[in-house]
Amino acid sequence: MTEMMRAIEIQEPGGPSVLQACQRPVPSPGHGQVVLKVAYAGVNRPDALQRAGKYAPPPTASDLPGLEASGEVVAIGAGVSELTVGDRVCALLPGGGYAEYVATPAAHCLPVPAGLSMKQAACLPETCFTVWSNVFTRGGLQAGERFLVHGGSSGIGTTAIQLASQLGARVFTTAGSDEKCAACLKLGAERAINYRDEDFVEVLKTEGGANLILDMVGGDYIPRNVRALADDGRMVHIAFLSGPKVELNFAQIMARRLTLTGSTLRPQSDLAKAQIAQDLREVVWPLIEAGKFAPVMDQTFALEEAAAAHARMESSAHIGKIVLEVGGEG
């Protein structure tokens, strides 16, 4: 293993152009950690927020962007017994995925599922961890319930549609074009609502209201989501693309016994993330290996094209996941 590696750093807060290639020292594994030789790194909205100066990494994390990757274990820290050098894994990362090598807790690594490529596996951790913890653990989605996920063609949306439908929920989603809506229907959504043409509140009210809503829009969607909920419904927030502040009448929350909650993944404890990983291994990985769920792929960019990858993601033209090729399949 060399001493230096290629990486992409954030030169200063700003647009995609502030992502620049650099040389960094190869990380060493701390206690409970492994170092991966990165094959592919997933590109996610939190990466763009970090780039813009709106989502600082935890104090102990790398300042390099990148919250998920696939790769081969090349070094093992003290206290690690579940992985060996040469294992092919995908991993949730505290940061640092836009690089040839990255260190991460061993407990946040999962095996590359049988039948999936390294490129596909790089798309699993961030979305699967987020969807599992917010839709099923925090949101408590049950079979037979009506579930509304906004942004159905995003990485989070395509994951949520597939997992919720496979686990027996009735899935409704919103998207911004007929093409995106068609893609959502193919993934298992019962109804895909083009928000430019239809009001999702009226559609859900006709169905009896949503038992659970997963929202990453915020802003003026928040009061509309409340109206779209069934009595005793739950709403989980994971992002605020239209802003976190809104005027809201809380009387209806009391009268209709609604639950509003939310979370971000990155600041949670290593132990909490390890528990999510264990849940995924037990419930979601068998679905993947049975061919019932797979990541939806959009485009692949070279590591040095990270700025172009961010520009595509922020254009919202993509359907599914965008990845960076770092070391490739080898």
Side-chain angles (χ1 to χ4, degrees):
M1 201 161 60
T2 59
E3 292 184 359
M4 301 297 290
M5 65 179 182
R6 293 181 300 128
I8 298 295
E9 66 183 4
I10 301 167
Q11 288 196 316
E12 61 184 6
S17 64
V18 304
L19 295 172
Q20 296 292 326
C22 67
Q23 292 282 316
R24 288 288 187 93
V26 172
S28 299
H31 189 278
Q33 290 188 329
V34 296
V35 173
L36 305 181
K37 182 180 181 183
V38 177
Y40 294 86
V43 176
N44 294 283
R45 290 276 180 184
D47 302 341
L49 290 174
Q50 179 178 335
R51 187 206 70 223
K54 298 177 181 178
Y55 192 35
T60 57
S62 169
D63 66 310
L64 300 175
L67 299 177
E68 64 181 348
S70 62
E72 181 182 325
V73 176
V74 293
I76 294 178
V80 176
S81 59
E82 64 268 35
L83 290 172
T84 59
V85 170
D87 284 349
R88 290 160 54 91
V89 300
C90 56
L92 186 74
L93 310 174
Y98 292 16
E100 288 184 286
Y101 297 89
V102 66
T104 196
H108 301 170
C109 296
L110 287 158
V112 173
L116 258 60
S117 67
M118 281 286 216
K119 185 190 295 189
Q120 291 173 301
C123 299
L124 293 173
E126 175 71 13
T127 52
C128 286
F129 274 72
T130 298
V131 168
W132 183 264
S133 60
N134 286 286
V135 174
F136 298 98
T137 302
R138 185 169 296 274
L141 185 65
Q142 301 293 316
E145 288 192 315
R146 295 177 296 274
F147 171 52
L148 170 63
V149 54
H150 290 298
S153 61
S154 67
I156 292 289
T158 55
T159 299
I161 289 169
Q162 292 183 83
L163 289 183
S165 62
Q166 283 296 326
L167 295 174
R170 296 178 59 195
V171 182
F172 300 80
T173 190
T174 60
S177 72
D178 291 343
E179 178 192 9
K180 290 181 176 182
C181 285
C184 294
L185 292 172
K186 287 182 181 178
L187 294 173
E190 177 179 323
R191 182 83 151 79
I193 303 153
N194 185 335
Y195 60 77
R196 302 182 195 280
D197 301 330
E198 286 187 282
D199 181 358
F200 71 84
V201 177
E202 295 306 316
V203 173
L204 268 297
K205 277 186 171 180
T206 300
E207 296 288 342
N211 304 111
L212 177 68
I213 296 177
L214 181 67
D215 181 55
M216 62 283 286
V217 181
D220 63 359
Y221 267 45
I222 297 174
R224 295 175 67 196
N225 285 333
V226 168
R227 294 200 302 274
L229 282 170
D231 289 354
D232 297 296
R234 296 95 63 199
M235 178 161 56
V236 181
H237 293 279
I238 57 170
F240 296 104
L241 297 177
S242 292
K245 297 181 181 180
V246 71
E247 185 173 315
L248 186 64
N249 179 358
F250 271 73
Q252 55 193 317
I253 295 175
M254 291 190 299
R256 297 171 53 210
R257 303 171 303 282
L258 306 180
T259 300
L260 275 59
T261 183
S263 77
T264 54
L265 182 61
R266 197 175 191 182
Q268 293 186 44
S269 71
D270 285 351
L271 185 62
K273 294 173 188 174
Q275 181 58 59
I276 300 170
Q278 185 58 37
D279 291 344
L280 292 175
R281 185 189 293 265
E282 292 176 2
V283 181
V284 177
W285 256 233
L287 292 176
I288 298 172
E289 296 190 337
K292 296 179 178 179
F293 163 59
V296 177
M297 308 292 293
D298 182 72
Q299 260 184 259
T300 304
F301 294 83
L303 177 63
E304 288 76 12
E305 297 173 333
H310 274 225
R312 176 158 181 81
M313 182 176 61
E314 293 185 315
S315 75
S316 293
H318 63 293
I319 296 177
K321 293 294 299 256
I322 299 167
V323 295
L324 299 176
E325 182 174 353
V326 183
E329 289 291 339

